[in-house]
Amino acid sequence: MPGSAPTEIPDSPSLDARGDTLREIEDRVLWLSTSIIHHANRIRPNTTGLKVGGHQASCASMVSIMTSLWFEQLTADDRVSVKPHASPVLHAINYLLGELGPQYLTTLREFGGLQSYPSRAKDPDPVDYSTGSVGIGATAPIWGAIARRYVDEQVGPAGKGRQYSLVGDAELDEGAVWEAILDSSVSDLGEIVWIVDLNRQSLDRVVPNIAAGRLEAMFAAAGWQVITVKFGALLEQLFERPGGDALRARILTMPNPEYQRLLRCAADELRSRLPGEATDSDGIAALIADLDDDTLLRAVRNLGGHDLDALRAAYARIDDTRPTVILAYTIKGRGLPTQGHPQNHSSLLTVEQYQQLAADHGIDPAQPWVAFDPAGHAGQLCAATARRLRRPPVQPCLPPDVPLDTGRTPSGTATTQAALGRVLLDLSRQAPDAAKRVVTVSPDVSSTTNLAGWLNKVGVWSPNERRNWFDDDPETIMHWREKPSGQHMELGIAETNLVGLIGELGATWSRWGQPLFPIGVVYDPFVERALEPWSYGIYAGGQSILVGTPSGVSLAAEGGAHQSIKTPSIGLEQPGCISYEPAFVIDVEWSLLSCIARLGRADGTSSYLRLSTRPVDQTLAAVPEDPAARERRRRQVIAGGYMLRRAHRPDVTLVGMGAVITETLQTADRLAKQNIAADVICVTSPGLLFEALRARRGLTEASSWILEQLFPADRAAPMVTVLDGHPHTLAFLAGINNVAAAALGVSRFGQAGSLEDVYRYHGIDTDSIVRAALDLTEQA
């Protein structure tokens, strides 16, 4: 009744000793994560004056969820992808578990210190998944789950743990998230658990239209179990009182920005604003009038994502037969002076606010890195949790040997794209142990990228065997046999999913000590669509091979939309990756086998192959018959290029790459008729040649011997470079000996038409190369 004594209601209906201990740990995690960021920005010397940054509010919204998860739920077999901006929470927990030394707590975003976002490769403490690029870290556990199952069924034991993903609600705006959720391969992955930090804020504002109901429906439609954790025990108790139904309805229906504004109100203002103007506002006003100020303020902040009992109940409901998403209502900045403010995303506590927070937590701000007394309840729980989560060190096994050369010398006319499947089949015959580690992945383009023969031999991977209803159809060329022993994985048409999967398949050597050889195949124009998540996978330690095929304007009939232009320079620019664009089938074999041999090891690297549907006469490769000369050619192919034709005294050097090697050789023949001698260089990897050039100048540790064999100074001559891609890819070669040069290639959107017409349009036909060579030789 109004005017009666205020009613005290506890945060939880049953606070036992364990609950008190968890709350003590929760408070310490909040303090430590806040202090890690505070020290980096307010205490550590900053000679440049540039912003260091950090996300104290984003950390605070995750503290309860992560405390409950780590200290009650996780097992050693589980893996967790942590929301990027909550990395200080992870470091705080690892510190309390003894997995991170105190000397690192002052190094957030410092060179060699704690990374801005969780990093498997660079952080000094345990990190299961590198995150930071929106949407990629969120979906990584999905592909990690498939990779674990594949290893467990094909190679050896890899555990049975859950794969958790801690996701910010604004991250659900990223399309890659829904591409992964909707893929048909995901709905059976019961080990997947997403916990969405539903704080309703993004970087700049309170998001007005984040509606849990819509998210619930979208996840449910994809076959996921949906658990919503809206309110904590205090609010649930209030809802049982007279006026409680009205209060529940009021909170659920008010706009997100209005609710966030209530979090910034003092008690008097809250009593005025909370009832609103609905017909049942009097009931709400009467209900909250019976509460003292402290209880009222705690009530409006009592959301389920900060209630340890509510979270525990949600975890207990997880159905391990299908993916689960837990939508946990939270407050951004909960427990900090900035809680609920629409611009708190990157805001920092002032020195005064930090000192007050220290006083509230009973900590000396001059001694912030306080650990628990090992004899106390919190210290004992930390020690017990550390023992429970400790994993034995991963003992990687070396991948099987991969042959250097199958001994085949191709003849006739063939394409580099067709060579892909042929090399894999040869590998399965000559090195079955190595071939058993190969797993190919494609987004519904297996037949059009010449993987049909390989797929027919090894089958399609599936957790359960499924009947092939077309196995008795004589007109069926590609046999779709799905079984646990299959070595090909087919996803929907979403390149982001494909590179996410091959990245996780390529990380099994470091996660479970079992190397795989993942090869993803996409149409080359869509490599650009997949490049950012693939690059992030490489950063996270995933070693894989990406094959882009068909490529370039050589795919003339498909028109400009399917003609890649910029992709040849990827190998020049992508760290942790070697790229090849072979001209001949034998070059595909040698380069692909070399790329496979680089996978699944601590010093390994990823690779990108750009293949073509352009038929090429294989006799033009002039593969040496002498075994030593053949091996010399192979080493040159792997190193970046080889001399295809050698003039007695060159007047011009013609450098071709990939599909246009035919026109390059035709140019040499036509110039010879005009008494102009040409060396012809076939480049297989511009990236490796660029690294060799940098090594010659003392900038890297790479070898530079290939430059002496391809471009010796005593044979320097004006140079024409040509490729089916942007001309800048090879333009740097002229700088090796500082010669005059013409760089030919594709720098405009493509056109549909015959190969001859399209090459002529872009100036990469034989006539154009001849003219460029004549211009240079006349100038000389």
Side-chain angles (χ1 to χ4, degrees):
M1 296 289 295
S4 62
T7 303
E8 290 282 355
I9 301 179
D11 283 334
S12 172
S14 58
L15 283 176
D16 55 16
R18 184 176 180 84
D20 288 335
T21 301
L22 279 174
R23 290 187 183 282
E24 185 180 0
I25 293 174
E26 177 187 23
D27 288 345
R28 188 62 54 84
V29 170
L30 174 63
W31 165 258
L32 288 170
S33 60
T34 304
S35 297
I36 288 170
I37 299 168
H38 180 82
H39 190 282
N41 289 273
R42 304 289 194 198
I43 299 177
R44 192 170 69 215
N46 184 346
T47 56
T48 66
L50 295 174
K51 174 186 174 183
V52 176
H55 302 84
Q56 290 172 330
S58 293
C59 287
S61 68
M62 288 297 301
V63 165
S64 304
I65 291 171
M66 293 178 66
T67 299
S68 175
L69 190 62
W70 258 261
F71 290 90
E72 286 196 310
Q73 304 297 325
L74 293 182
T75 71
D77 285 334
D78 296 336
R79 298 291 187 274
V80 187
S81 174
V82 175
K83 186 180 80 167
H85 291 161
S87 63
V89 182
L90 176 62
H91 298 312
I93 290 174
N94 281 336
Y95 169 63
L96 293 178
L97 297 180
E99 297 285 358
L100 182 68
Q103 71 273 21
Y104 288 106
L105 300 180
T106 61
T107 66
L108 179 69
R109 302 188 175 204
E110 185 177 67
F111 186 82
L114 299 176
Q115 299 301 296
S116 306
Y117 311 119
S119 171
R120 288 190 71 220
K122 295 182 178 182
D123 273 318
D125 53 332
V127 173
D128 291 334
Y129 288 98
S130 296
T131 60
S133 191
V134 175
I136 296 173
T139 59
I142 290 178
W143 316 123
I146 294 177
R148 185 202 59 75
R149 287 193 180 203
Y150 186 86
V151 169
D152 199 61
E153 293 163 3
Q154 293 268 39
V155 184
K160 300 293 183 182
R162 286 175 178 168
Q163 299 277 344
Y164 289 90
S165 189
L166 308 182
V167 186
D169 52 8
E171 199 166 9
L172 297 179
D173 291 342
E174 172 56 53
V177 167
W178 296 103
E179 287 182 352
I181 291 169
L182 294 173
D183 194 275
S184 60
S185 64
V186 174
S187 60
D188 293 330
L189 301 177
E191 62 267 47
I192 295 295
V193 179
W194 281 25
I195 305 171
V196 178
D197 173 16
L198 203 65
N199 61 51
R200 301 163 302 284
Q201 287 185 236
S202 63
L203 190 149
D204 295 323
R205 59 175 181 157
V206 177
V207 182
N209 296 316
I210 286 183
R214 183 171 65 241
L215 294 176
E216 290 171 1
M218 293 169 70
F219 276 101
W224 289 48
Q225 177 194 22
V226 181
I227 300 171
T228 303
V229 188
K230 292 183 179 179
F231 304 117
L234 174 54
L235 273 176
E236 291 289 0
Q237 289 184 29
L238 291 178
F239 295 154
E240 297 299 320
R241 295 183 166 199
D245 288 341
L247 177 61
R248 180 193 293 271
R250 167 78 171 125
I251 293 175
L252 289 176
T253 57
M254 71 172 61
N256 290 330
E258 182 182 4
Y259 178 79
Q260 297 293 107
R261 181 63 184 88
L262 295 180
L263 300 176
R264 308 289 299 171
C265 293
D268 289 345
E269 188 178 4
L270 187 58
R271 294 183 192 279
S272 172
R273 286 176 177 260
L274 182 56
E277 299 178 356
T279 55
D280 49 8
S281 60
D282 290 344
I284 299 174
L287 172 60
I288 64 177
D290 198 31
L291 305 177
D292 63 62
D293 289 351
D294 178 67
T295 301
L296 177 60
L297 292 173
R298 285 191 293 118
V300 79
R301 294 166 173 78
N302 187 228
L303 299 184
H306 301 301
D307 188 290
L308 298 176
D309 288 332
L311 289 168
R312 185 184 304 115
Y315 297 137
R317 293 174 54 196
I318 292 174
D319 175 7
D320 287 318
T321 66
R322 55 179 174 150
T324 296
V325 60
I326 298 173
L327 302 175
Y329 279 68
T330 61
I331 298 170
K332 196 163 187 173
R334 191 255 188 181
L336 302 179
T338 57
Q339 64 183 342
H341 194 281
Q343 279 88 49
N344 69 4
H345 181 81
S346 298
S347 66
L348 298 169
L349 299 191
T350 65
V351 173
E352 293 75 17
Q353 288 173 327
Y354 180 75
Q355 290 174 341
Q356 182 59 53
L357 184 69
D360 294 342
H361 286 259
I363 294 175
D364 179 0
Q367 302 291 331
W369 318 121
V370 184
F372 290 116
D373 179 356
H377 292 304
Q380 292 178 16
L381 180 54
C382 288
T385 301
R387 290 192 297 271
R388 170 167 49 86
L389 298 183
R390 190 160 294 128
R391 301 168 185 161
V394 175
Q395 301 294 336
C397 69
L398 288 176
D401 290 336
V402 177
L404 303 177
D405 187 344
T406 67
R408 183 195 299 272
T409 301
S411 59
T413 300
T415 71
T416 55
Q417 176 178 284
L420 173 64
R422 187 177 307 158
V423 173
L424 293 177
L425 290 172
D426 284 345
L427 181 66
S428 67
R429 287 187 286 266
Q430 293 198 9
D433 288 343
K436 186 62 178 175
R437 302 274 176 163
V438 172
V439 52
T440 55
V441 185
S442 68
D444 199 35
V445 292
S446 299
S447 57
T448 54
T449 54
N450 288 88
L451 282 178
W454 164 258
L455 189 150
N456 287 344
K457 179 176 179 61
V458 301
V460 178
W461 181 82
S462 173
N464 304 299
E465 189 158 357
R466 298 173 181 169
R467 179 173 177 181
N468 176 18
W469 291 98
F470 289 87
D471 58 0
D472 58 351
D473 186 338
E475 296 183 9
T476 298
I477 299 175
M478 189 166 64
H479 300 289
W480 206 259
R481 297 190 299 271
E482 297 179 87
K483 52 188 179 180
S485 60
Q487 290 181 244
H488 176 78
M489 296 183 181
E490 190 93 354
L491 301 177
I493 304 176
E495 288 76 14
T496 299
N497 289 350
L498 178 136
V499 295
L501 178 54
I502 63 174
E504 289 304 319
L505 289 167
T508 59
W509 68 273
S510 60
R511 289 198 193 280
W512 299 292
Q514 293 291 351
L516 296 176
F517 301 150
I519 302 173
V521 184
V522 299
Y523 286 173
D524 195 63
F526 307 136
V527 167
E528 292 180 66
R529 184 185 300 173
L531 182 57
E532 193 266 339
W534 186 51
S535 174
Y536 207 86
I538 295 173
Y539 167 81
Q543 300 167 10
S544 60
I545 298 171
L546 185 61
V547 178
T549 185
S551 66
V553 300
S554 296
L555 193 63
E558 294 287 345
H562 277 157
Q563 296 174 4
S564 54
I565 297 171
K566 296 173 285 183
T567 52
S569 66
I570 285 174
L572 284 164
E573 301 157 359
Q574 176 59 52
C577 173
I578 295 174
S579 71
Y580 290 99
E581 183 164 350
F584 299 103
V585 168
I586 191 69
D587 299 347
V588 175
E589 176 188 309
W590 288 337
S591 58
L592 180 58
L593 292 176
S594 175
C595 291
I596 293 174
R598 292 188 176 102
L599 298 174
R601 57 185 69 240
D603 60 347
T605 186
S606 295
S607 302
Y608 163 53
L609 273 68
R610 189 174 189 255
L611 306 182
S612 173
T613 52
R614 166 78 186 278
V616 174
D617 179 1
Q618 298 302 303
T619 62
L620 296 176
V623 180
E625 295 183 2
D626 180 81
R630 179 186 176 101
E631 172 59 15
R632 180 174 183 269
R633 167 71 70 86
R634 187 199 68 80
R635 292 181 68 246
Q636 291 175 331
V637 167
I638 301 309
Y642 54 95
M643 183 83 71
L644 189 53
R645 287 191 188 174
R646 182 184 179 93
H648 176 66
R649 188 184 300 276
D651 299 303
V652 66
T653 301
L654 305 178
V655 180
M657 185 170 77
V660 295
I661 198 64
T662 300
E663 283 69 27
T664 309
L665 290 168
Q666 289 173 350
T667 298
D669 292 339
R670 287 174 54 176
L671 290 175
K673 293 177 181 179
Q674 303 177 59
N675 295 318
I676 298 174
D679 279 348
V680 178
I681 308 294
C682 181
V683 168
T684 55
S685 176
L688 289 176
L689 295 183
F690 184 73
E691 286 303 304
L693 181 59
R694 296 182 72 228
R696 175 189 279 184
R697 295 169 178 169
L699 300 176
T700 73
E701 297 298 323
S703 175
S704 62
W705 63 267
I706 188 64
L707 299 182
E708 309 304 326
Q709 295 193 3
L710 298 188
F711 306 103
D714 60 355
R715 298 184 65 80
M719 179 183 294
V720 180
T721 62
V722 58
L723 73 155
D724 184 357
H726 200 282
H728 79 93
T729 308
L730 299 178
F732 74 92
L733 295 175
I736 296 174
N737 291 314
N738 297 316
V739 297
L744 306 183
V746 180
S747 57
R748 294 179 285 177
F749 283 115
Q751 298 286 339
S754 68
L755 192 65
E756 294 80 6
D757 289 340
V758 171
Y759 273 21
R760 188 179 304 112
Y761 172 77
H762 290 290
I764 57 174
D765 60 315
T766 304
D767 286 348
S768 296
I769 305 172
V770 169
R771 284 194 296 268
L774 292 174
D775 288 342
L776 289 173
T777 54
E778 288 178 4
Q779 293 171 9

